Amino acid sequence: MAFSFLDMDRVLSETFVARAEYHPTLGSTNDRARQWAEQGAGALPLLVVADVQAAGRGRGGHRWWTGQGSLAFSVLLDPGQAAVGPGGQSPLVALAAAVAVVEAVAPLVGSHAVGIHWPNDVMAAGRKLAGVLVEVLPDGRHVVGIGVNVNNRLAEAPPEVRRVATTLRELTGVAHDRTAILVAVLQHLEAGLGQLASEPGRIGTSADALCRQRGRLLTLDRGGESVTGRCAGIAPDGALLLVTRDGRQAFYWGMLK
Ligand code: BTN
């Protein structure tokens, strides 16, 4: 089962998505979801899935490699479905997505430790298993893009990806059902977004429990200015907590070096 087809009927019937679109190849599912948003989009959440992305995007202008056998998808949500306050800088939606991925894959990987690197990486056995790219549109709609390395082959990946990434197949030695994983991620995402609306602190707390950076010295690039500190976890409001020479500080955005 190196490459299994996605059962979109199952995805539609078992998850909260109202509409779904599948592409064998696409530039970027986030770009496609944004296109839909510009055209009005219709019923939400809208799911866009691609087997292969020619121009998958990561945070900070990085590329996201999407080899055959991986999962790449984006969910377009209206502001009520991504219940965060105005401003769009909250890391909580990205953390809710990362927590959802951890919850979906943890039962599959046996004793391998799965966790989060703030604000958007899912790590397994110390390597990157999945990434999340949340983009907030001017009207408050959110595009939540998620890439999971499932059955794709790292031997086909660019060297910079091979150095840091892992896949579910590499971790377990067997191929996995991508539909089941997509359904599980979407179900956990729905639950997480529900928590954001009812008890926002819970997502931050769940992310904190999964944080694999605690105790590490981290440097955060904040648009030209760098801040270095020892990671003290993730706050209930989603901020990265660093103990710097000025004391304990909370950061809501920035790129970790
Ligand atoms: C990161 O690690 O920096 C985030 C990676 C996000 C990749 C996903 S794959 C589906 C969606 N479409 C994109 O172009 N990017 C996201």
Side-chain angles (χ1 to χ4, degrees), residues 27-31 48 53 55-60 62-66 71-74 120-122 128 130-135 143-148 255:
S28 151
T29 57
N30 266 39
D31 290 345
V48 179
Q53 295 184 117
R57 296 189 287 110
R59 283 183 78 237
H62 292 133
R63 288 179 68 91
W64 177 260
W65 171 71
T66 313
L71 259 181
F73 59 97
S74 302
N120 70 321
D121 291 345
V122 174
K128 184 156 171 167
V132 174
L133 176 64
V134 174
E135 296 179 303
V143 177
V144 178
I146 300 179
V148 188
M255 289 293 293

